[in-house]
Amino acid sequence: MKSLILAEKPSVARDIARVLHCHKNISGAIEGRQHVVTWALGHLVTLADPESYDQKFKEWNLSYLPMIPKKWELVVIKQTSKQYHNVKAQLFRKDVSEIIIATDAGREGELVARWILDKSGCRKPIKRLWISSVTDKAIREGFSRLKDGRAYDNLYRAAKSRAEADWLVGINATRALTCKHNAQLSCGRVQTPTLAIIAGREELIRAFRPEDYYGLTCNAGGITWTWQQGKNGSMRTFQKETVNRIQEALKGQSLSVTDIKKSAKKTFSPGLYDLTELQRDANKRFGFSAKETLNIMQRLYENHKVLTYPRTDSRYIGNDIVPTIKERLSACNIGPYKKFIPQLLRNPIRVSRSFVDDSRVSDHHAIIPTEEFVQLDHMTNEERKIYDLVIRRFISVLYPAYEYEQTTLNGTAAGEQFTARGKIIKADGWKAVYENGLSGYSADDEIDDGSAVAELHQPDQSLPSVRQGASFAISRTSMTTGRTKPPARFTEASLLSAMENPVKYMESQNAKAKKALGETGGLGTVATRADIIEKLFHSFLIEKKGNEIFVTSKGKQLLTLVPEDLKKPELTAEWEMKLADIAKGTVKESTFIHDIENYTKQLIQQIKTSDGTYRHDNLTSTKCPRCGKRMLSVNGKNARLLVCQDRECGYRETIARLSNARCPNCHKKMEIIKKGGEETFVCACGYKEKMSAFKARRQKEGAGVTKKDVQKYLKKQQAEAVNTAFADALSGIRLD
């Protein structure tokens, strides 16, 4: 008898098949002597649409709501139905005695497999493969410690409950809002609070009133001293007259050194990556969207097999990983990393609870390199960048602390307090890993938290040797000025941070709710946040200008129409806590779903009885070619579109899209606009160029050569470089 292994993706299935010596290709599977390996394509099965329960639900009618299925139905996804039937055929083979679930090790991965088994009606015994990387070694070790599939029944119940709850609330509320206001309005327990957080930031920016503030510096004894207020130690004041008065009083005065403080300080590496932290850094450094980073990580995990499982919310590794650290370092001891890794390999690995902690590892440990040998030349430029971030972070936690001596001088002059600060670096420590690197780390890379900037910065300087009590004549004074700044608008990096830690955006001061939200990991999960942001863009609720995110008029209006509960992060906190309890087996899924059904009924009643209105304020004079109604002008993430106002028509067309082509004048990215039969490049600086002229110019400049062309040329050059006459002569020599 054979075991059927169900993987989530074809690439993982091929890796498992190779390790288990399965080589025979059959329809939708790979077969060996003891195993058959098949695969899903992500979800092959999903919850049925409303019309599957009753044909009347094909019509979007407010009077039919809420829709609450008495018995949940699963349907095969049409686009991947062929593979579903391939999998089903393998499940019911007479020579298959057990199923080994090898989908992604997590809540959603469990759902992918269990829904296929439920829909097909397969009741054969199941086992579970639970691994964090898809290297040959990890696969072999995983199969040596397969677990009983029943141990994950509660995880499946939690995943199923989440899907059913989102169906109930999301589909019903979206239909209710759309029918009530005759506009395509979507909402959900994660996307709507995220939208509300962005809108809240915009309100703070609009309400902000900038103020000028002032400071004072003076030179004495070859040192630049900064004035401090005596009461609170602040280095700025909003009273210009105060600075003028002090500046006048300092004329002809001396500054006395009253205190010298020297302290040894050290800082440690910022820690290993989880997915959200990696997405945040990739957005700040390279401008990658959260979705792009996840896709790149997935390729590095599945195709290159050089990094571990990406969808993790942990920044720690367990003690079981520690013995493998040197092997992982050896695998990536190439190229730019040869400067840092050999000394780690020569000495015992030093670990600490700052990155090794079993209690802080959930389903998966932090993102780290695998034991697979790395071939950098097989990676794209984007893959190299993400790989570099992860490897340098991994190396840095194994390096010692960055150490420096902080010297702070305090002095007085004309009854006022002054301070100066200097720093002497004692040991570069982990910061050496980032010296001249592709992804230089900066301590200033902090995520904006929405507070206004209103403080002067006191820089470190090289300080001469001075003694306490010394007195220096003041040679020069200078007034410094600044202006308070409003909170920064969200970028994808800072929005990810807000979704991960939404406590500060909660209206409620309920300590229990805040704690719950912190414990459940914020809005969404590491695996879903990128998709939520993309959905907000796709629904035209938010738009991007440069790197900044703005709420559209549609988004602002939606927030006035959505019931208050759906705008609050507390709802997600409540759900995730209950789902976690279901996964632990302490709460029944039926109890949770019953509560969600009641909540859905209340939600729909609120929408039906609300008195809000929705108005299209982006109507154009262009008529839809399908239905003749006026179209709406909307900004997509990287394009401008015209969309029919009739949601049932659904017609849309792209009128301009952002390209990667740079303007020859200002070097900014140009838009491609289609007018008539030809596309035209247009830049914000006013430059215009037709596509035909652009191609001719680029060809003249020698651009447009693909990577494939380059590789072909290099191979040809390599072949021609061989001295064939000499090679032929050598081939005839026999060395006995």
Side-chain angles (χ1 to χ4, degrees):
M1 299 298 282
K2 295 184 178 183
S3 299
L4 178 69
I5 300 162
L6 175 58
E8 190 160 330
K9 298 180 180 69
S11 59
V12 177
R14 286 192 292 270
D15 293 330
I16 293 173
R18 187 188 67 255
V19 172
L20 298 180
H21 307 294
C22 301
H23 304 295
K24 183 182 177 183
N25 289 315
I26 57 178
S27 184
I30 308 170
E31 188 168 359
R33 291 181 63 186
Q34 295 179 303
H35 304 90
V36 179
V37 185
T38 187
W39 56 86
L41 297 167
H43 279 287
L44 296 180
V45 174
T46 190
L47 292 174
D49 289 330
E51 51 265 32
S52 298
Y53 297 99
D54 193 323
Q55 282 298 306
K56 73 177 184 181
F57 291 146
K58 277 189 174 181
E59 179 188 354
W60 285 39
N61 190 316
L62 195 59
S63 64
Y64 296 156
L65 304 178
M67 302 172 292
I68 299 177
K70 292 181 179 177
K71 184 174 181 289
W72 290 95
E73 294 180 14
L74 295 170
V75 294
V76 177
I77 298 171
K78 287 183 181 179
Q79 294 89 331
T80 54
S81 60
K82 182 179 178 181
Q83 182 58 20
Y84 167 78
H85 291 296
N86 287 334
V87 174
K88 185 177 180 180
Q90 301 305 317
L91 288 171
F92 286 96
R93 280 175 50 161
K94 291 182 179 180
D95 60 342
V96 168
S97 61
E98 65 175 6
I99 314 300
I100 298 174
I101 296 176
T103 48
D104 286 351
R107 195 167 72 183
E108 279 304 303
E110 196 68 24
L111 191 65
V112 167
R114 296 297 190 100
W115 268 355
I116 292 171
L117 296 177
D118 281 6
K119 179 62 179 174
S120 65
C122 180
R123 297 292 180 266
K124 292 180 180 179
I126 60 173
K127 290 181 179 176
R128 189 50 158 111
L129 174 72
W130 194 272
I131 55 177
S132 291
S133 61
V134 287
T135 63
D136 290 7
K137 180 182 178 182
I139 292 169
R140 281 193 292 268
E141 289 179 352
F143 273 96
S144 70
R145 55 172 191 267
L146 290 172
K147 299 181 181 178
D148 189 330
R150 290 173 295 184
Y152 297 90
D153 284 352
N154 286 330
L155 183 66
Y156 166 52
R157 293 185 185 105
K160 187 160 68 77
S161 298
R162 193 277 310 156
E164 291 170 359
D166 277 335
W167 191 102
L168 285 167
V169 172
I171 288 183
N172 276 293
T174 294
R175 283 203 177 197
L177 286 167
T178 299
C179 294
K180 171 91 175 178
H181 303 288
N182 193 28
Q184 189 63 59
L185 301 172
S186 64
C187 62
R189 67 170 175 94
V190 176
Q191 71 174 68
T192 309
T194 302
L195 180 66
I197 286 173
I198 303 170
R201 176 65 63 87
E202 288 201 7
E203 287 178 14
L204 288 176
I205 294 170
R206 282 199 303 271
F208 184 82
R209 296 292 178 266
E211 288 185 79
D212 293 323
Y213 57 89
Y214 309 90
L216 181 67
T217 62
C218 68
N219 280 62
I223 301 170
T224 300
W225 300 80
T226 304
W227 169 74
Q228 277 189 309
Q229 289 195 56
K231 292 181 179 179
N232 56 21
S234 175
M235 296 177 186
R236 58 104 171 109
T237 177
F238 292 102
Q239 306 300 320
K240 187 177 182 180
E241 299 77 15
T242 300
V243 176
N244 285 331
R245 176 181 56 77
I246 297 170
Q247 198 170 13
E248 188 67 28
L250 290 175
K251 288 181 178 178
Q253 296 292 313
S254 295
L255 184 145
S256 297
V257 180
T258 58
D259 186 41
I260 301 174
K261 291 181 181 177
K262 290 187 177 182
S263 56
K265 295 197 174 185
K266 57 174 66 175
T267 61
F268 296 90
S269 166
L272 298 171
Y273 278 120
D274 63 5
L275 179 59
T276 301
E277 176 78 357
L278 181 61
Q279 288 171 320
R280 197 158 45 218
D281 268 8
N283 181 257
K284 287 190 295 182
R285 303 186 197 290
F286 313 125
F288 294 165
S289 71
K291 188 68 174 176
E292 283 176 312
T293 300
L294 178 56
N295 289 340
I296 294 167
M297 261 299 304
Q298 201 70 29
R299 295 199 299 272
L300 290 168
Y301 164 67
E302 286 183 12
N303 302 341
H304 298 283
K305 303 177 189 61
V306 293
L307 296 181
T308 56
Y309 188 69
R311 291 176 170 87
T312 176
D313 60 358
S314 176
R315 299 184 64 186
Y316 294 81
I317 58 174
N319 283 290
D320 59 321
I321 300 296
V322 174
T324 71
I325 287 178
K326 283 200 173 184
E327 191 176 353
R328 295 170 192 270
L329 287 170
S330 297
C332 54
N333 186 23
I334 58 169
Y337 316 118
K338 281 187 173 180
K339 185 177 178 182
F340 314 110
I341 291 177
Q343 59 182 297
L344 293 173
L345 294 174
R346 284 193 296 268
N347 303 308
I349 295 294
R350 297 171 64 183
V351 299
S352 71
R353 285 182 66 84
S354 64
F355 68 97
V356 180
D357 190 343
D358 290 328
S359 67
R360 303 185 75 169
V361 175
S362 51
D363 290 340
H364 300 281
H365 56 67
I367 299 170
I368 60 174
T370 66
E371 304 93 333
E372 192 83 2
F373 177 73
V374 178
Q375 293 179 286
L376 294 177
D377 56 334
H378 288 188
M379 295 182 191
T380 65
N381 184 45
E382 290 76 16
E383 289 167 351
R384 277 287 313 273
K385 287 177 177 177
I386 296 300
Y387 180 76
D388 186 75
L389 282 176
V390 175
I391 299 307
R392 289 182 191 270
R393 188 63 74 92
F394 180 64
I395 297 170
S396 72
V397 300
L398 301 172
Y399 262 62
Y402 165 68
E403 297 182 40
Y404 61 96
E405 183 182 76
Q406 182 79 62
T407 301
T408 304
L409 306 179
N410 292 315
T412 60
E416 298 292 336
Q417 294 182 13
F418 291 83
T419 184
R421 191 174 66 185
K423 183 165 70 175
I424 300 173
I425 297 172
K426 297 293 186 181
D428 285 332
W430 63 269
K431 285 198 174 186
V433 178
Y434 291 94
E435 184 182 0
N436 299 321
L438 295 174
S439 51
Y441 174 81
S442 169
D444 297 326
D445 287 342
E446 299 297 331
I447 297 299
D448 183 271
D449 64 355
S451 59
V453 177
E455 189 59 88
L456 288 166
H457 179 61
Q458 182 189 19
D460 285 310
Q461 58 185 302
S462 179
L463 297 175
S465 179
V466 297
R467 60 179 175 79
Q468 189 170 334
S471 182
F472 305 106
I474 296 174
S475 59
R476 182 174 58 84
T477 61
S478 177
M479 180 187 289
T480 55
T481 61
R483 208 170 207 211
T484 56
K485 298 177 182 178
R489 283 193 163 83
F490 281 110
T491 63
E492 285 203 45
S494 55
L495 183 57
L496 283 167
S497 290
M499 294 175 75
E500 186 180 36
N501 300 296
V503 171
K504 68 183 71 172
Y505 306 100
M506 290 170 57
E507 293 180 7
S508 167
Q509 296 304 313
N510 187 315
K512 187 177 179 181
K514 288 185 175 182
K515 183 182 178 184
L517 197 58
E519 289 176 348
T520 54
L523 291 171
T525 66
V526 290
T528 60
R529 287 182 192 126
D531 287 329
I532 293 298
I533 294 173
E534 290 297 313
K535 188 173 182 179
L536 289 170
F537 279 118
H538 185 71
S539 304
F540 311 117
L541 298 173
I542 60 175
E543 61 186 0
K544 193 182 268 191
K545 296 177 183 177
N547 203 33
E548 295 180 329
I549 296 173
F550 292 75
V551 177
T552 63
S553 171
K554 179 180 180 180
K556 291 171 186 175
Q557 290 190 74
L558 174 67
L559 288 173
T560 65
L561 303 173
V562 171
E564 283 299 314
D565 271 0
L566 270 182
K567 293 187 282 186
K568 295 178 179 178
E570 289 91 329
L571 181 64
T572 285
E574 183 184 335
W575 281 29
E576 286 296 336
M577 282 199 73
K578 290 179 180 177
L579 291 172
D581 289 338
I582 293 171
K584 293 173 190 173
T586 58
V587 170
K588 290 185 177 180
E589 60 176 314
S590 57
T591 303
F592 173 71
I593 292 299
H594 179 70
D595 291 343
I596 296 299
E597 289 174 353
N598 290 334
Y599 173 70
T600 302
K601 292 173 184 176
Q602 296 169 14
L603 208 59
I604 300 308
Q605 187 60 29
Q606 287 181 47
I607 295 172
K608 285 181 176 180
T609 57
S610 67
D611 54 4
T613 57
Y614 181 85
R615 181 177 65 87
H616 290 298
D617 58 1
N618 54 343
L619 279 171
T620 67
S621 57
T622 305
K623 291 188 176 180
C624 174
R626 282 186 190 166
C627 66
K629 293 180 181 176
R630 288 167 66 191
M631 299 182 75
L632 308 172
S633 175
V634 295
N635 291 324
K637 188 176 183 181
N638 293 304
R640 291 186 287 121
L641 305 94
L642 288 175
V643 179
C644 182
Q645 64 173 297
D646 189 336
R647 60 178 178 78
E648 292 185 0
C649 173
Y651 179 80
R652 62 173 61 189
E653 64 178 81
T654 302
I655 57 173
R657 67 181 188 276
L658 189 66
S659 73
N660 286 321
R662 299 280 179 173
C663 172
N665 291 341
C666 67
H667 305 293
K668 291 181 179 178
K669 288 184 178 181
M670 297 188 290
E671 275 192 335
I672 298 177
I673 297 176
K674 190 170 184 179
K675 286 186 177 180
E678 188 171 9
E679 293 179 327
T680 303
F681 286 97
V682 177
C683 182
C685 73
Y687 178 81
K688 292 183 180 180
E689 186 176 30
K690 288 187 177 181
M691 180 66 78
S692 55
F694 170 81
K695 287 181 177 179
R697 176 170 63 83
R698 294 290 284 163
Q699 190 171 10
K700 189 177 179 182
E701 293 171 354
V705 179
T706 65
K707 288 183 181 179
K708 190 175 181 181
D709 293 332
V710 173
Q711 290 173 351
K712 188 176 179 181
Y713 174 77
L714 289 174
K715 285 180 180 178
K716 183 181 177 184
Q717 290 294 101
Q718 191 176 17
E720 290 176 354
V722 177
N723 188 327
T724 54
F726 185 58
D728 291 341
L730 285 175
S731 66
I733 297 175
R734 294 184 63 185
L735 299 173
D736 296 325

